[in-house]
Amino acid sequence: ITLLGIMGAIIKHLGEFYSPTLLAVARNIFGFAPVLLILIITNKTKSIFSLAGEKNMLLLIIRGVSIAVAQFCFYLALMKLEFATASTLVFAGPLFLTALSVPILGAKVGVWRWTAVIIGFLGIILIMDIGTDLFNIFALLPLTAAFGYALSSVLVKLFSSEVPTAQIQLYTQAITLFSASALLIMLSGYSPIVSMTDFFLISLMGISGGSGVLCLISAYRMTEPSIIAPFEYFGIPLSIFLGWAFFEEFPISKLFPGVFFIVGAGILIIWREEKNSQKLKNHHKS
């Protein structure tokens, strides 16, 4: 989460000089470094091309395209909104993830979790100031990004546990890079990098983002999501701090009380998932 916060802060800073499509392409190019490093360390380089099968390829293509769209929307949101506001609205992800798990994974979502989804979206409406003169159309961008990231997270569960995480991320990132490059060409977002300082920041942005995502995917595949998910909310106070420290932004009045609805809804979802998981374990034991 810290690495992703650093990535976001660099993107907001560089957004004054470069397009979101260019930064998305650079993020994916430099994001290959940590993935390849893991494959080399774990001696999995020989199996790079073994992820065959139409089902896997279709999943990878959908994941790659959804992440490319999500990246573009989130990066543009960081440029147009306060850093903490854009980062907080992306935490609508668990709400979308819960909803998407029904049609994609066949999950059964009870009244508690649907209630949590409704509560979370009430918090989003409060932060976005929908229905008032303060509403900013760019606030829809982090929600679109949240949907794209949630879709990619749900799809990870459809891969066999035998497929290495780094391998999934390598293929996905290659497709994301191709999709981001297509957006760059279509939107004419290319501009040359003007200094070595910018080149260093762009490379740091890509490596931080790639490492952060790899850590998250690994964590989610190694243990129960209900154990990992609460730690993601560390990103909210972190984004408030980074926005204050680097961009002199402190949108507390805008974020509260809506942020309590979003975090509360996420914790409620996590709690119910944990309860259901315990019930299943006890049922299997009996």
Side-chain angles (χ1 to χ4, degrees):
I1 297 301
T2 302
L3 287 167
L4 294 175
I6 292 169
M7 179 197 76
I10 295 173
I11 288 168
K12 185 168 181 65
H13 167 71
L14 293 173
E16 296 182 34
F17 317 103
Y18 303 101
S19 71
T21 48
L22 176 68
L23 294 177
V25 170
R27 151 70 182 85
N28 290 295
I29 290 174
F30 289 103
F32 276 113
V35 179
L36 291 172
L37 182 62
I38 293 295
L39 286 170
I40 291 169
I41 291 172
T42 56
N43 293 318
K44 295 284 175 60
T45 50
K46 292 181 180 178
S47 63
I48 284 177
F49 300 105
S50 65
L51 197 61
E54 289 184 13
K55 179 186 174 183
N56 281 343
M57 286 309 301
L58 180 60
L59 289 174
L60 289 165
I61 290 169
I62 297 172
R63 282 197 83 231
V65 173
S66 68
I67 291 172
V69 173
Q71 285 178 345
F72 170 76
C73 291
F74 182 48
Y75 297 179
L76 185 58
L78 288 171
M79 299 172 190
K80 299 295 184 179
L81 302 171
E82 299 96 338
F83 183 75
T85 302
S87 300
T88 299
L89 287 173
V90 169
F91 280 92
L95 310 179
F96 287 122
L97 197 148
T98 300
L100 287 170
S101 66
V102 175
I104 296 175
L105 301 179
K108 293 181 179 179
V109 176
V111 65
W112 278 98
R113 280 183 283 179
W114 281 124
T115 301
V117 169
I118 293 169
I119 291 170
F121 278 110
L122 285 175
I124 290 166
I125 289 169
L126 287 173
I127 292 175
M128 291 173 65
D129 293 313
I130 291 176
T132 73
D133 294 336
L134 298 174
F135 173 67
N136 187 339
I137 192 68
F138 289 112
L140 295 173
L141 290 170
L143 290 185
T144 306
F147 180 86
Y149 288 134
L151 178 60
S152 69
S153 297
V154 171
L155 293 177
V156 164
K157 288 289 187 180
L158 297 178
F159 288 96
S160 167
S161 59
E162 298 174 358
V163 181
T165 298
Q167 198 174 6
I168 293 172
Q169 188 59 15
L170 181 72
Y171 274 78
T172 300
Q173 200 147 302
I175 295 167
T176 303
L177 174 59
F178 177 82
S179 304
S181 300
L183 283 173
L184 176 69
I185 294 168
M186 287 189 293
L187 299 176
S188 303
Y190 175 76
S191 59
I193 298 172
V194 298
S195 68
M196 285 303 297
T197 301
D198 284 0
F199 180 81
F200 169 75
L201 287 174
I202 287 171
S203 61
L204 179 62
M205 175 266 293
I207 293 170
S208 296
S211 300
V213 169
L214 197 59
C215 288
L216 269 182
I217 294 175
S218 298
Y220 272 108
R221 296 189 82 204
M222 288 167 66
T223 189
E224 293 294 324
S226 58
I227 296 173
I228 300 299
F231 290 95
E232 288 204 41
Y233 289 105
F234 171 68
I236 293 177
L238 177 66
S239 67
I240 293 172
F241 171 75
L242 291 173
W244 167 75
F246 293 104
F247 309 110
E248 299 181 351
E249 299 172 349
F250 202 62
I252 294 297
S253 60
K254 186 177 183 65
L255 292 177
F256 292 90
V259 68
F260 288 125
F261 285 79
I262 295 173
V263 174
I267 291 172
L268 181 57
I269 289 170
I270 293 160
W271 172 68
R272 289 305 297 178
E273 286 181 351
E274 181 66 20
K275 290 272 287 185
N276 291 337
S277 178
Q278 287 296 327
K279 284 181 182 178
L280 282 173
K281 287 179 182 177
N282 293 335
H283 177 72
H284 288 311
K285 285 180 181 178
S286 62

